[in-house]
Amino acid sequence: MFNWFNSSSKQDEDAERNRLMGLSEKELMAEIIIKLEIISRKCDEIGRKIVIWSN
């Protein structure tokens, strides 16, 4: 039923892996920092939503 989801997800994952493998160490570190900042913002959003819903 969800085979289309898994196959496209696998293809996207492989494409992203290949893209990252081609980056230099400096570029890779920049990508990591950007992703960590995005994760941090999302965690903050989740924390605010939890506070709002718990009140």
Side-chain angles (χ1 to χ4, degrees):
M1 182 172 158
F2 293 105
N3 288 339
W4 60 270
F5 179 74
N6 290 334
S7 64
S8 66
S9 174
K10 180 69 173 158
Q11 291 170 348
D12 292 342
E13 185 179 313
D14 289 342
E16 180 69 5
R17 182 177 291 115
N18 288 335
R19 185 185 74 80
L20 292 173
M21 291 296 285
L23 297 177
S24 69
E25 288 181 22
K26 194 173 191 178
E27 292 170 325
L28 188 56
M29 292 299 276
E31 289 281 335
I32 290 169
I33 290 168
I34 291 168
K35 295 292 184 185
L36 288 174
E37 288 174 348
I38 292 169
I39 291 168
S40 177
R41 273 187 255 128
K42 290 200 181 283
C43 288
D44 291 344
E45 289 174 18
I46 291 169
R48 281 192 296 275
K49 288 177 183 176
I50 289 172
V51 169
I52 290 170
W53 286 100
S54 65
N55 286 337

